[in-house]
Amino acid sequence: MKKLKRFAAGQTHSYSLARDGIADLTSRGEFVASLSQDIFNDIVDDCPSLESDCKINSLLNNLFPSPETKFESALTNADFLDKSDSTIKYITSTLDSYSLFYPTHNTVPPMHERQHFAEVAIPAFRRAFKLVGKDISLFEVKILGCARRKNMNRVPMIDKVNHAHQADGIVWHDHLQVVLFECSPPEEKDADKSFADHYKLARDLKDTWVYNIEQLISSGRQPPQDLKIFGVQIDTRFVKIYALDFVGCFRLQELATMELPVRLATFQSKFRSIIHVAFSFAHMVQDEVKRWDVAMSLKQAQIRKAELALRRMPPTNITPTKVKKVKVDL
């Protein structure tokens, strides 16, 4: 916490997550560079991991018996598998979704952000979450935690409602938001938006964490001490999966980074990766929300004290106004 405060005090630009009390420990985070190698190693070792599943690996081997197995052969092999098995159906239906592009194209053709998200990035995740009984709401979904923050001090009879940020996709657990998806435009000329989306996603995760804690307390449940919220950022080629929790300060960790199967030449290895990661991630999220459901009950006095403590937490700063860019000579 002290290291983060010292780092935040030295930041001169407005788009530093440290100013919002978020220790960005991801590969994009500037704060990481200020840490010693030993501390960084401890952080990486302490980060939750997405474990591979033996059954998934065996099923993928049925589709791709060798590294040379082509996409068309994998589709044929899928016809001989038992689709009544939900895990087999998850893998084979995700494979079939890529027949929109392969083998007709060698690469996924250029497309709009929403199409890229819906047809290239989200199928594996959407089907994996269905396996654990969760759906993903898609496209311009209001982020409840952001709405709470922006309207916290609003006087209903006087002030207008401030509009909340929106996510490209959200996984729900009852009335709570657990995973936020953010998709950056696939065009390289909009690479700056990938940076902006990372900043926006981290702050929205913080708002969502606070909102979920507040809702659990209001319902008389004691939130788990290490409660986590998850985020997924997607761009042209890569998917990054994050987890945010609170350990004296907000901690943003990178659970996985993988490349999307956007090239036919590398399809098998990238498809294997996204299937493993999406499957493990969905089960990690399911295990997390199960802990929320069995949380201990709070007495009324405990609820009031917890609500006051939550209100005293430093709020997320107002989004900085856009500034005119300047050229930096190197």
Side-chain angles (χ1 to χ4, degrees):
M1 184 65 179
K2 291 180 180 179
K3 290 181 181 293
L4 181 65
K5 286 184 176 180
R6 286 198 299 268
F7 178 80
Q11 296 302 291
T12 57
H13 65 84
S14 302
Y15 290 89
S16 171
L17 290 171
R19 296 175 67 251
D20 288 304
I22 301 173
D24 187 355
L25 304 175
T26 71
S27 55
R28 284 182 178 269
E30 297 175 335
F31 175 59
V32 171
S34 69
L35 302 175
S36 68
Q37 187 65 48
D38 289 341
I39 293 177
F40 175 76
N41 291 342
D42 290 341
I43 287 170
V44 173
D45 292 339
D46 186 50
C47 184
S49 59
L50 298 173
E51 303 294 337
S52 297
D53 184 272
C54 294
K55 180 182 179 181
I56 291 289
N57 197 52
S58 176
L59 293 174
L60 287 169
N61 288 339
N62 290 332
L63 292 177
F64 300 95
S66 75
E68 291 76 31
T69 303
K70 296 185 179 297
F71 180 81
E72 308 95 298
S73 299
L75 284 178
T76 302
N77 294 337
D79 293 335
F80 297 97
L81 299 180
D82 180 12
K83 305 297 195 310
S84 63
D85 183 292
S86 59
T87 308
I88 292 176
K89 186 176 180 181
Y90 153 60
I91 297 174
T92 55
S93 59
T94 304
L95 177 70
D96 187 62
S97 69
Y98 287 99
S99 62
L100 287 169
F101 316 111
Y102 308 126
T104 310
H105 301 88
N106 289 323
T107 61
V108 171
M111 58 183 66
H112 185 268
E113 173 184 339
R114 181 172 288 191
Q115 184 184 4
H116 179 79
F117 178 67
E119 296 183 356
V120 180
I122 204 64
F125 288 95
R126 197 172 190 185
R127 292 181 173 93
F129 274 102
K130 279 188 177 296
L131 287 176
V132 297
K134 301 292 180 191
D135 288 315
I136 301 179
S137 301
L138 298 180
F139 308 128
E140 299 179 358
V141 188
K142 182 172 75 172
I143 298 172
L144 300 180
C146 181
R148 168 196 174 277
R149 170 176 61 85
K150 287 195 168 190
N151 294 284
M152 183 179 294
N153 299 315
R154 184 179 72 91
V155 180
M157 302 302 293
I158 301 174
D159 302 323
K160 292 183 177 180
V161 174
N162 292 312
H163 294 294
H165 294 164
Q166 296 176 327
D168 292 309
I170 287 182
V171 176
W172 297 77
H173 179 64
D174 296 333
H175 60 287
L176 302 178
Q177 298 173 335
V178 190
V179 186
L180 309 182
F181 286 82
E182 192 69 43
C183 185
S184 302
E187 298 84 5
E188 289 200 12
K189 66 179 181 180
D190 290 324
D192 286 0
K193 190 172 184 295
S194 181
F195 174 89
D197 281 349
H198 178 80
Y199 176 77
K200 170 182 175 288
L201 178 60
R203 286 158 49 90
D204 287 340
L205 288 173
K206 175 186 172 181
D207 288 340
T208 302
W209 186 94
V210 173
Y211 177 85
N212 286 358
I213 290 286
E214 182 181 70
Q215 292 300 307
L216 288 171
I217 291 170
S218 297
S219 65
R221 286 179 284 172
Q222 180 176 325
Q225 190 171 8
D226 56 345
L227 181 142
K228 292 180 178 60
I229 299 296
F230 303 93
V232 181
Q233 186 175 4
I234 300 162
D235 60 25
T236 313
R237 291 172 51 204
F238 294 98
V239 175
K240 292 181 181 292
I241 299 178
Y242 303 124
L244 181 131
D245 60 5
F246 186 79
V247 285
C249 64
F250 287 94
R251 177 176 61 175
L252 184 67
Q253 295 178 295
E254 192 168 318
L255 304 183
T257 300
M258 61 186 172
E259 189 172 1
L260 290 166
V262 293
R263 295 176 59 234
L264 185 58
T266 58
F267 178 82
Q268 182 182 157
S269 62
K270 307 310 177 188
F271 180 77
R272 283 176 175 270
S273 177
I274 196 171
I275 289 294
H276 273 297
V277 169
F279 181 86
S280 299
F281 180 51
H283 282 78
M284 176 183 282
V285 172
Q286 178 70 352
D287 289 342
E288 172 65 25
V289 296
K290 282 180 179 178
R291 298 192 308 130
W292 304 3
D293 291 338
V294 297
M296 294 176 59
S297 298
L298 292 173
K299 296 179 180 179
Q300 182 62 25
Q302 293 174 310
I303 292 174
R304 295 299 307 278
K305 291 175 183 177
E307 287 175 340
L308 180 59
L310 197 62
R311 290 186 67 86
R312 287 176 173 171
M313 289 186 70
T316 305
N317 292 315
I318 297 172
T319 304
T321 55
K322 291 184 178 180
V323 297
K324 183 177 180 180
K325 294 182 180 180
V326 295
K327 184 177 180 180
V328 178
D329 293 326
L330 299 176

